[in-house]
């Protein structure tokens, strides 16, 4: 065989030999490479020491008018006099005259009732006189009618009826003047001078000015915190612009709402219209409860707690540990929590937890917060 024919064969064998050498030495190169470990990250830490802390919790509520009442006249008539202060928002004291109806027809009825009483008294006097004469002239064996006994009884009954009618007429005349039944604030009006009003038709709506209700619904978690603590709690409400009013418990609903499974708490605010900033009805407010101090609590920044109510703590080996906490309350940018495990133990916590953190990962703690929380 000529050299020209053998040359391609030698080249193929040489290439195959090179490939086999590369394959044989590549695993050794891989095995000899050093494994690169992930470097620890720098984290800012803070120290927390559980202790006794005063707890503040809050919820939302709605203000409700106390004794929201429709005021109506008890008799028919034309409005003859109207109080000029009868405008929505004005405060009125008890027994203030609201309006006066024209009393002419009522005075007529009163005069007729008085006349009926006089006639009934005269009739009774007459029958009593005739009974006296009959008793002198007749014996006890004569019948009662002859002795005028039933006539006197009927006259007495007529007098009693006439007196009742007189009292009714006097009451109706008194009702022509409509007065404020309690200290209140005018909510709305539906009356004007000269207007003919009918008995029972609403003339205005009045609410108590002595106090206002605040209705709040408590979740099972919040109720578990407040149950048994309300008597000694400092309670206040605040509106959206920061105005605050002291409040106290009016009553606690004895049963849960069948749909929401929440408990209704009704508070009261005394003299809601007396200050510079009156408290209005039908507005949302924040209800704040300052409770007695509780033990095994730790205060920390809100950002140190994850959305799942967990925190990253650092052990003595500077490795991460994920722990669950029970958030007791939140005050602005801070939260008060209780650790589920070893609640009395002091800890180093990651100030700014990252989503990439893993349990057991080694970290490099940075400068600790000087003021421990």
């Amino acid at each position: 065989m000529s050299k020209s024919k053998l040359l391609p064969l030698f080249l193929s064998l040489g290439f195959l030999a090179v490939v086999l050498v590369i394959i044989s030495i590549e695993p050794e190169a891989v095995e000899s490479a050093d494994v690169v470990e992930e470097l620890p990250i720098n984290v800012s830490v803070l120290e927390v020491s559980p202790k006794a802390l005063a707890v503040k919790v809050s919820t939302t509520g709605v203000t409700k008018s106390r004794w929201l009442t429709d005021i109506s006249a008890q008799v028919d008539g034309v409005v003859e006099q109207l109080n000029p202060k009868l405008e929505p928002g004005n405060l009125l004291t008890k027994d203030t005259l609201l309006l006066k109806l024209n009393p002419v027809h009522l005075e007529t009825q009163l005069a007729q009732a008085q006349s009926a009483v006089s006639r009934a008294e005269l009739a009774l006097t007459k029958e009593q006189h005739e009974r006296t004469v009959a008793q002198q002239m007749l014996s006890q064996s004569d019948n009662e009618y002859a002795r005028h006994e039933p006539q006197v009884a009927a006259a007495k009954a007529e007098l009693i009826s006439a007196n009742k009618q007189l009292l009714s007429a006097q009451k109706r005349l008194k009702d022509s003047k409509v007065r404020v039944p309690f200290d209140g604030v005018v909510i709305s009006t539906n009356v004007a001078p000269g207007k003919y009003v009918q008995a029972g038709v609403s003339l205005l709506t009045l609410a108590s000015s002595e106090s206002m209700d605040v209705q709040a619904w408590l979740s099972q978690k919040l109720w578990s915190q407040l149950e048994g603590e309300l008597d000694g709690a400092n309670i206040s409400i605040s509106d959206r612009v920061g105005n605050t009013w002291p409040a106290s418990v009016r009553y606690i609903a004895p049963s849960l709402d069948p749909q929401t499974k929440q408990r209704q708490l009704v508070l009261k605010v005394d003299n809601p219209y007396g200050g510079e900033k009156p408290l209005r009805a039908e507005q949302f407010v924040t209800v704040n409860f300052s409770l007695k101090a509780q033990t095994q609590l730790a205060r920390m920044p809100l950002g140190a707690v994850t959305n799942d109510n967990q925190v990253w703590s650092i052990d003595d080996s500077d490795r991460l540990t994920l722990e669950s906490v029970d958030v007791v309350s939140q005050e602005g940018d801070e939260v008060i929590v209780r650790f589920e495990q070893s609640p009395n133990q002091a800890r180093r916590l990651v100030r700014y937890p990252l989503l990439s953190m893993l349990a057991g990962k080694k970290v490099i703690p940075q400068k600790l917060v000087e003021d421990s929380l």
Side-chain angles (χ1 to χ4, degrees):
M1 186 178 293
S2 63
K3 293 182 178 181
S4 60
K5 293 182 179 180
L6 294 175
L7 182 59
L9 179 61
F10 290 150
L11 292 176
S12 299
L13 292 175
F15 178 77
L16 180 61
V18 172
V19 171
L20 292 175
V21 171
I22 294 174
I23 294 175
S24 64
I25 65 176
E26 186 174 3
E28 296 180 1
V30 174
E31 292 176 2
S32 63
D34 293 334
V35 178
V36 180
E37 293 185 0
E38 187 177 356
L39 296 177
I41 60 174
N42 298 325
V43 293
S44 298
V45 300
L46 54 89
E47 291 182 345
V48 295
S49 298
K51 54 187 176 182
L53 293 174
V55 177
K56 294 182 180 180
V57 295
S58 62
T59 186
T60 56
V62 181
T63 56
K64 294 290 184 180
S65 296
R66 176 73 169 166
W67 293 344
L68 191 63
T69 306
D70 288 331
I71 306 299
S72 60
Q74 302 301 309
V75 295
D76 301 343
V78 176
V79 178
E80 184 179 70
Q81 180 181 343
L82 190 64
N83 191 323
K85 294 184 63 177
L86 200 59
E87 297 291 344
N90 285 342
L91 298 176
L92 301 173
T93 57
K94 183 179 179 179
D95 292 330
T96 298
L97 180 64
L98 294 175
L99 58 90
K100 178 182 178 182
L101 303 178
N102 190 306
V104 173
H105 67 290
L106 298 175
E107 291 174 343
T108 300
Q109 294 176 2
L110 177 60
Q112 293 174 346
Q114 290 173 335
S115 176
V117 170
S118 298
R119 292 195 302 270
E121 289 175 344
L122 178 60
L124 177 59
T125 302
K126 178 182 178 181
E127 292 299 335
Q128 289 175 335
H129 174 71
E130 292 183 357
R131 182 184 61 179
T132 301
V133 173
Q135 289 176 347
Q136 293 176 350
M137 297 178 60
L138 301 175
S139 63
Q140 292 296 329
S141 60
D142 293 318
N143 59 46
E144 292 183 349
Y145 182 81
R147 298 197 307 271
H148 280 259
E149 294 295 343
Q151 291 89 330
V152 171
K156 287 182 178 180
E158 288 291 335
L159 180 58
I160 293 174
S161 176
N163 280 320
K164 295 293 185 181
Q165 293 178 9
L166 176 60
L167 291 175
S168 177
Q170 291 173 338
K171 177 66 168 55
R172 290 172 62 82
L173 180 61
K174 183 179 179 180
D175 288 342
S176 66
K177 297 179 180 180
V178 181
R179 298 184 179 275
V180 180
F182 50 80
D183 292 346
V185 58
V186 180
I187 303 299
S188 63
T189 61
N190 184 32
V191 64
K195 181 179 180 179
Y196 182 82
V197 299
Q198 293 180 321
V201 177
S202 177
L203 304 176
L204 67 147
T205 303
L206 195 70
S208 173
S209 60
E210 292 185 348
S211 66
M212 181 175 292
D213 290 347
V214 180
Q215 296 181 358
W217 291 94
L218 309 179
S219 64
Q220 292 184 358
K221 179 180 179 181
L222 183 56
W223 172 244
S224 65
Q225 293 179 274
L226 295 176
E227 188 176 12
E229 301 290 335
L230 288 175
D231 290 340
N234 183 12
I235 308 174
S236 65
I237 66 168
S238 57
D239 60 14
R240 295 181 178 179
V241 296
N243 298 317
T244 61
W245 296 265
S248 58
V249 177
R250 187 182 294 280
Y251 68 88
I252 303 170
S255 59
L256 299 178
D257 183 272
Q259 296 180 345
T260 64
K261 303 304 180 182
Q262 293 184 329
R263 189 177 300 275
Q264 186 185 36
L265 171 66
V266 178
L267 307 171
K268 66 175 181 177
V269 177
D270 294 329
N271 194 24
Y273 303 96
E276 296 181 359
K277 299 292 185 179
L279 178 62
R280 304 297 182 184
E282 303 299 332
Q283 65 173 321
F284 287 99
V285 293
T286 300
V287 183
N288 307 294
F289 303 90
S290 297
L291 306 179
K292 298 177 182 178
Q294 300 180 21
T295 59
Q296 301 179 341
L297 298 181
R299 188 191 304 273
M300 64 187 62
L302 177 61
V305 183
T306 69
N307 294 333
D308 297 327
N309 289 345
Q310 294 178 314
V311 295
W312 286 100
S313 61
I314 304 172
D315 61 17
D316 295 338
S317 301
D318 294 338
R319 295 189 180 277
L320 294 175
T321 301
L322 188 61
E323 296 189 67
S324 297
V325 295
D326 179 22
V327 178
V328 177
S329 71
Q330 178 179 345
E331 304 173 25
D333 294 333
E334 292 184 337
V335 290
I336 295 178
V337 305
R338 179 179 284 108
F339 293 97
E340 293 187 0
Q341 301 294 329
S342 303
N344 287 320
Q345 178 182 334
R347 289 168 170 83
R348 293 186 299 165
L349 300 181
V350 177
R351 175 66 180 83
Y352 303 104
L354 303 175
L355 294 177
S356 59
M357 288 181 173
L358 297 174
K361 185 175 182 179
K362 191 174 183 60
V363 295
I364 303 175
Q366 294 298 305
K367 182 179 178 181
L368 299 179
V369 177
E370 295 181 358
D371 296 330
S372 297
L373 297 177

